[in-house]
Amino acid sequence: MLLIGLILLIVLLALGVPVVWTFLGVAVFLVLSLGYDPNFLLPYGFSQLNSTLLLAIPMFIIAGKLIEKGGVGDVIVKWAEVLLGRIKGGLGVASVLACAIFGSISGSALAALSTIGSIMFGKLHRAGYPRGFAAALLANASILGLLIPPSGIMILYAWLANVSVLATFLSTLLPGIILTVLLSVVTLVYMRAGSRQQVNVGRKGGVVLEPVPTKQLARTFGKRTVTGIPALLLPVIILGGIYSGILTTVEAAVVAAIYTIPLGLWVYRELKVRDLKDVLVEGAATTGVVMIMAYSMMVLSRIFTMERLPDAISSVLLSISEQPVIILLMINLFIVILGMLIDDVSGVLLVTPILLPVAVGIGVDPIHFAAIVGVNLGMANITPPTAPLLYFGSQLGRAPINEMMKPTLLMIAVGWIPTLGLTTFVPELSLWLPELVLGYTPQ
């Protein structure tokens, strides 16, 4: 019956059944078919949700929506634009940098894509960037919101794995920085090559702003920095408060949500009082969906544990190869394929309880595995054929999917695969900051 349940889970996901109903339906099926006492499993699911750490989820969701509506993204873009907007491909690099900064505020790839994308698509197109390349670039860069802390999926991973949320935040920071650099390099090379070949990149090959005297540039940068200080302080407040010990993760999330209200209402004046109700309603609805999925996954993970599913998976993998490198490659492949079918939140809820025991069994540290999961799920979200963020980027940028395929595959080959390889096989990349900042001791 457990095998039937797993097949049912995969089939329903592949058919496009909403993930929340898939998790819940499979959980009910396994409870009834395997003869487990609902009076034991159902209260168990509720008891696992009784964690103060999960309060950070709705707060970061609300903060992200307030930031999205409050004009913060536009301020960040203008600040990055003045630094990079006068070189070939610089506007694309500014878009990547804006997504990285925005990710450190919202912790959401979807919020980064919808906010930065709505601002940048028009600018990139007017600058001569092909629509397909612009949409692919922003879809890839938006995933930095999952890697640059704070990250919503890392909060869920820490809760599921019972590890330090601060350590999981730091585990994905260096991979996120590496990916930022690699995507920027791809953009610069692509636009310069396109300019030489006269491939629809405009007469200036992606140069957006006319050259100006150094003094004027410095003055403009100073003005935009002053304007952007309230927005740029937000990641400093969140991360500084967490890692200094002044704020817990939940308290930092609450501070972020509260801080963004006056920021949007009175500083940047893009947020309206009437928007607050919509933000709270949308935040509550999103949180409700996440909590139902989390509850269902707790019931499923308990069943998987009692049925010794992780041991069975480990035995199958070890029967193929006993080399940890080969097993890690198979784990990566499984996460990417699964992540192509579902969103990042659902992915981390499903992958962590099943594969973490397997990874730990071959000597992988739980914090190192957090980074592996984060990068894999990020890459899966933009990997054809069922890449959710790629299709969302196509809609926002009004770019046909077929025009996005070539630049997307280029970014996967040059950006994502090297980042994933380093993250997987160089554990120091994920463990160095937790050790340095928190004194974490790898297991």
Side-chain angles (χ1 to χ4, degrees):
M1 281 301 176
L2 182 62
L3 180 60
I4 295 175
L6 290 174
I7 294 172
L8 181 63
L9 180 68
I10 295 171
V11 170
L12 291 176
L13 291 174
L15 290 175
V17 177
V19 177
V20 60
W21 300 121
T22 297
F23 280 10
L24 190 59
V26 172
V28 171
F29 169 77
L30 288 178
V31 168
L32 296 178
S33 63
L34 292 174
Y36 286 107
D37 184 2
N39 293 325
F40 162 68
L41 283 177
L42 300 185
Y44 171 81
F46 281 113
S47 69
Q48 293 301 104
L49 291 181
N50 188 22
S51 169
T52 55
L53 178 60
L54 292 180
L55 292 174
I57 298 293
M59 291 296 101
F60 275 125
I61 290 173
I62 291 171
K65 292 184 180 297
L66 288 169
I67 290 166
E68 187 177 342
K69 294 178 181 291
V72 175
D74 193 37
V75 172
I76 292 172
V77 166
K78 287 181 177 178
W79 181 78
E81 188 180 69
V82 80
L83 288 174
L84 301 163
R86 291 174 173 81
I87 60 175
K88 290 181 180 180
L91 192 60
V93 177
S95 302
V96 175
L97 181 60
C99 284
I101 296 173
F102 194 88
S104 70
I105 298 173
S106 68
S108 166
L110 193 61
L113 180 55
S114 60
T115 303
I116 305 300
S118 63
I119 298 167
M120 292 305 300
F121 276 128
K123 293 185 177 184
L124 291 169
H125 181 62
R126 288 191 296 272
Y129 286 69
R131 284 190 182 273
F133 179 81
L137 176 65
L138 285 166
N140 278 265
S142 69
I143 300 174
L144 295 169
L146 303 180
L147 303 180
I148 307 293
S151 166
I153 67 168
M154 287 298 104
I155 294 174
L156 288 172
Y157 177 91
W159 168 63
L160 289 164
N162 195 27
V163 294
S164 166
V165 66
L166 307 185
T168 60
F169 280 174
L170 289 175
S171 70
T172 56
L173 180 55
L174 287 181
I177 293 172
I178 290 172
L179 184 61
T180 301
V181 172
L182 292 177
L183 290 178
S184 299
V185 170
V186 170
T187 303
L188 291 172
V189 172
Y190 189 93
M191 295 308 295
R192 287 175 181 269
S195 179
R196 289 194 298 270
Q197 300 168 16
Q198 297 181 341
V199 179
N200 188 29
V201 293
R203 61 186 178 86
K204 295 183 180 179
V207 175
V208 178
L209 303 176
E210 296 293 335
V212 296
T214 304
K215 288 185 179 180
Q216 183 179 341
L217 181 63
R219 192 180 304 115
T220 303
F221 178 70
K223 288 181 180 179
R224 292 192 180 181
T225 299
V226 171
T227 303
I229 281 176
L232 297 172
L233 275 178
L234 190 50
V236 176
I237 292 171
I238 296 173
L239 299 178
I242 291 174
Y243 289 109
S244 67
I246 296 174
L247 301 172
T248 65
T249 304
V250 176
E251 290 167 346
V254 173
V255 168
I258 294 174
Y259 180 83
T260 50
I261 295 176
L263 199 65
L265 286 175
W266 301 308
V267 178
Y268 300 125
R269 301 182 181 180
E270 293 289 333
L271 183 68
K272 309 301 180 185
V273 174
R274 63 176 177 272
D275 293 332
L276 295 177
K277 178 184 176 182
D278 295 336
V279 167
L280 293 175
V281 170
E282 291 173 17
T286 304
T287 302
V289 171
V290 172
M291 290 301 106
I292 293 174
M293 287 194 298
Y295 171 77
S296 304
M297 201 59 237
M298 284 298 96
V299 174
L300 284 174
S301 67
R302 186 62 176 172
I303 294 173
F304 293 157
T305 301
M306 290 189 292
E307 293 293 320
R308 303 179 67 83
L309 178 62
D311 292 341
I313 293 174
S314 181
S315 298
V316 170
L317 294 178
L318 287 172
S319 69
I320 298 173
S321 174
E322 295 185 358
Q323 295 296 322
V325 171
I326 303 299
I327 294 175
L328 273 176
L329 286 173
M330 289 189 287
I331 288 174
N332 282 348
L333 181 62
F334 176 82
I335 298 174
V336 169
I337 293 173
L338 184 66
M340 290 166 61
L341 301 175
I342 56 180
D343 62 276
D344 52 314
V345 172
S346 310
V348 76
L349 287 171
L350 185 57
V351 163
T352 305
I354 295 176
L355 293 182
L356 178 60
V358 178
V360 171
I362 60 171
V364 177
D365 185 86
I367 300 302
H368 177 206
F369 192 65
I372 293 174
V373 169
V375 177
N376 269 296
L377 290 177
M379 187 172 77
N381 273 261
I382 48 88
T383 301
T386 57
L389 284 176
L390 212 59
Y391 288 103
F392 186 51
S394 171
Q395 293 175 353
L396 282 178
R398 299 178 182 177
I401 282 291
N402 63 309
E403 293 182 10
M404 297 173 63
M405 286 298 103
K406 182 178 178 180
T408 295
L409 294 175
L410 177 64
M411 292 172 200
I412 290 174
V414 179
W416 281 100
I417 291 179
T419 302
L420 179 57
L422 288 171
T423 302
T424 302
F425 300 115
V426 185
E428 292 79 11
L429 190 69
S430 307
L431 298 174
W432 177 64
L433 283 176
E435 291 179 46
L436 178 68
V437 177
L438 303 174
Y440 176 78
T441 303
Q443 297 181 14

